[in-house]
Amino acid sequence: MGDSSGDGLPADGEIPVHDVELRGFEIDATPVTNAQFARFVDSTGFVTDAERFASSAVFHLLVAAPASDITGPVAGTPWWIGVRGADWRHPGGRATSLAGIDDHPVVHVSWNDAAAYCDWAGRRLPTEAEWERAARGGLDRAAYPWGDDPIDGSDGVWRANVWQGAFPVRNTAEDGWIGTAPVRSFSPNGFGLWQAVGNVWEWCADRFDAAYYARSPLADPAGPDAGDERVLRGGSYLCHPSYCNRYRNSARSRNTPDSSMGNAGFRTVGLRA
């Protein structure tokens, strides 16, 4: 587990590379879709954090909302725009809907929302060790789920949904998508997981600590006992070498558990007997 290619960011804590032993587990082939999340909400009446806060972060090229809904750019990342009314049902703002994207990953869901879905479904979020094991698809120390070939490959084949062009002003969409893609786009890895990297960040169960790998246990590590942020894995459709090279098996990110944004979702694992 960890960054064996030397591409990690020190602040993300991808080192040291270390051995991990895991009990067997069962994980979703894809991130949870809009259709799946809608069934959860229809069944429970659940209200997401973005809906409670009445606002969420939308990438600037994907905003579709009245001017009165725009609260302005997010400090430090001006390509993210605060949009009132943006939520899982309206991923770009009030002028958008889920029409035609039932099979895309649900976004604008916080860690809290993902955990609530898991409780309803009788499942749980993966630990980041489980997530990384599954993302690797059986390939030891490879940078990506398919191996070490680059995203676009020498053969010109796109292998994941990431940014192409000049970030953050122009996305050429050479891979076919500007925002999210259907969850079964591109090809699955050796374990049958689709889009473990790219498309959307995926929440994991663990709290985040950049120094955790140096002290994590060998067997079934579950993250630190304390911390204000939760781990995200896999990168998203916004990843690009000039800005975010986190579309790798070992890449880590984090956010507070009540945070939501237009490029983060989750997949689940089965409860152990």
Side-chain angles (χ1 to χ4, degrees), residues 70-194:
I70 308 302
T71 63
V74 175
T77 53
W79 45 87
W80 282 111
I81 307 297
V83 180
R84 295 188 187 94
D87 55 43
W88 73 275
R89 288 187 180 92
H90 310 94
R94 293 183 208 269
T96 61
S97 73
L98 300 182
I101 57 170
D102 278 353
D103 61 346
H104 286 228
V106 66
V107 294
H108 296 292
V109 286
S110 68
W111 186 93
N112 296 328
D113 303 332
Y117 176 96
C118 287
D119 287 344
W120 169 79
R123 297 176 69 79
R124 62 181 174 85
L125 289 173
T127 66
E128 68 168 324
E130 289 171 335
W131 187 97
E132 185 169 325
R133 168 64 171 157
R136 290 186 177 280
L139 300 178
D140 186 39
R141 294 177 181 260
Y144 309 110
W146 56 84
D148 290 319
D149 291 335
I151 294 284
D152 58 350
S154 59
D155 54 3
V157 175
W158 286 96
R159 295 180 170 87
N161 179 18
V162 294
W163 184 277
Q164 306 92 53
F167 187 87
V169 295
R170 184 176 63 89
N171 189 342
T172 61
E174 293 171 53
D175 63 7
W177 308 96
I178 293 178
T180 60
V183 294
R184 291 182 184 268
S185 302
F186 306 98
S187 298
N189 71 4
F191 289 155
L193 270 70
W194 297 77

Side-chain angles (χ1 to χ4, degrees), residues 186-208:
F186 306 98
S187 298
N189 71 4
F191 289 155
L193 270 70
W194 297 77
Q195 298 200 73
V197 302
N199 212 16
V200 293
W201 284 102
E202 299 180 17
W203 288 109
C204 291
D206 310 41
R207 292 179 172 87
F208 178 83

Side-chain angles (χ1 to χ4, degrees), residues 4 11 33 37 39 57 67 72 79 100 131 138 173-174 207 222 228 241 243 247:
S4 57
T33 65
F37 198 79
R39 287 194 289 273
W79 45 87
W131 187 97
E174 293 171 53
R207 292 179 172 87
D228 295 332
Y243 158 60
Y247 45 79

